[in-house]
Amino acid sequence: MGKRHEVIGIKQAIRFEWMQKAANLLLAGLGTKTIRQELHEFLAERKGNGCEGERSEQTRTFVVNNLMKIWVSPDPELLPFRDASLAFLREHPSMALAVHWGMISAVYPFWVNVARQTGRLLALQDQVTQAQIINRLKEQYGDRQTVSRYARFVIRSFVVWGVLKDSEAKGCYEKTAPVNIADINLAILMFESALLATPEAKGALGLLLNNPAFFPFQLPVMTGDLISQRSDRIDVVRYGLDDELLKLKGNQVRDGT
């Protein structure tokens, strides 16, 4: 398991418009140092709830570091995916929610794990509580205080992104209407993000199509053949009678094959 899959990383709620700002600065062709400075200035008078107001330098630095890590300076192994995501965002700005979801998922797999537990619970019930999500995460990460704290930041991010909504009861949430993903190339990018968030860098196509971590989205049904035709970063391996395994190319050493 690589370091990226071990760290939790998200130390503040990440607002959707902040992700947009980071991506737009990158699309504008600005350099790394300039983007960092612009983000600091942008966030200097914005609180975590999106309202104007002074914000401590430490919390601002946390958020800027997250945004830089997600879009501007991701790990080298994520650069091809980042570049493809950025190119798609440039051509299809209306699908920004799914693109940002994929990018933050690849960089911070903890986001995916919180989403997966949320999606599993929502498949069983109409509402989900913060406590239910955190209890499931503790089974995976252990009963650490940081897990509870950082999970709350991710859950709050889901709410401000509009994929969950607060219910009348405090700490209880409802699912919003899913975003329909009709573009096959975008769906493949989302599959790639899920593979990047998995230490083994592989997964069964059927499970990916029904991945609870994609609970905010309605993905199109597609075949492995179509994916292999459209993506030069994903291998499709057939096993059994009609099962297909998606596997990131260039991960032979990491997954032991």
Side-chain angles (χ1 to χ4, degrees):
M1 183 183 290
K3 183 180 179 183
R4 180 164 53 85
H5 299 93
E6 296 172 2
V7 300
I8 294 178
I10 298 174
K11 298 180 179 179
Q12 290 291 317
I14 306 293
R15 295 189 67 86
F16 176 75
E17 60 266 31
W18 301 346
M19 294 280 286
Q20 282 279 73
K21 180 69 174 180
N24 287 337
L25 290 170
L26 195 58
L27 285 168
L30 299 179
T32 301
K33 185 177 180 181
T34 303
I35 292 176
R36 182 179 289 277
Q37 182 179 343
E38 289 276 345
L39 288 173
H40 267 288
E41 292 177 1
F42 176 73
L43 292 170
E45 296 180 351
R46 287 174 172 81
K47 292 183 177 181
N49 59 8
C51 299
E52 291 191 2
E54 283 301 319
R55 180 184 185 85
S56 78
E57 186 172 346
Q58 183 184 38
T59 57
R60 185 170 76 242
T61 299
F62 283 152
V63 175
V64 170
N65 286 344
N66 283 147
L67 296 173
M68 294 295 293
K69 184 75 172 174
I70 295 164
W71 273 114
V72 186
S73 307
D75 292 348
E77 67 186 271
L78 299 178
L79 287 173
F81 174 71
R82 189 281 308 270
D83 292 345
S85 298
L86 199 64
F88 188 92
L89 185 62
R90 185 191 299 274
E91 297 298 322
H92 306 277
S94 65
M95 298 308 297
L97 181 74
V99 177
H100 289 307
W101 188 274
M103 200 65 219
I104 197 170
S105 296
V107 174
Y108 291 112
F110 183 69
W111 179 282
V112 176
N113 290 327
V114 179
R116 183 183 297 114
Q117 301 302 346
T118 304
R120 283 176 177 167
L121 288 162
L122 286 171
L124 301 171
Q125 55 202 51
D126 293 332
Q127 295 183 339
V128 60
T129 68
Q130 182 174 275
Q132 288 173 329
I133 298 169
I134 291 173
N135 284 339
R136 288 196 169 202
L137 287 166
K138 285 179 178 178
E139 294 174 9
Q140 178 179 355
Y141 288 93
D143 192 2
R144 290 183 284 159
Q145 197 65 35
T146 52
V147 172
S148 300
R149 185 166 69 251
Y150 295 165
R152 286 196 290 271
F153 292 140
V154 175
I155 295 166
R156 180 44 48 184
S157 299
F158 292 169
V159 174
V160 297
W161 283 39
V163 302
L164 284 183
K165 61 182 178 182
D166 291 310
S167 72
E168 292 181 1
K170 183 176 175 60
C172 186
Y173 312 97
E174 300 172 3
K175 185 179 177 181
T176 60
V179 176
N180 184 44
I181 305 298
D183 191 295
I184 296 296
N185 291 327
L186 176 56
I188 293 172
L189 276 176
M190 296 184 74
F191 287 160
E192 186 176 355
S193 79
L195 296 176
L196 286 165
T198 304
E200 300 78 19
K202 57 186 177 182
L205 175 56
L207 295 178
L208 287 167
L209 282 167
N210 297 291
N211 189 343
F214 292 143
F215 75 87
F217 308 99
Q218 183 69 47
L219 294 169
V221 176
M222 66 183 82
T223 63
D225 282 338
L226 184 58
I227 293 171
S228 61
Q229 291 168 15
R230 298 282 186 103
S231 176
D232 58 5
R233 294 185 300 278
I234 298 176
D235 274 330
V236 179
V237 181
R238 287 173 179 78
Y239 64 100
L241 289 174
D242 54 2
D243 294 318
E244 294 172 307
L245 184 77
L246 302 190
K247 175 180 168 181
L248 290 179
K249 295 180 179 179
N251 284 280
Q252 287 78 9
V253 175
R254 195 170 67 187
D255 65 20
T257 60

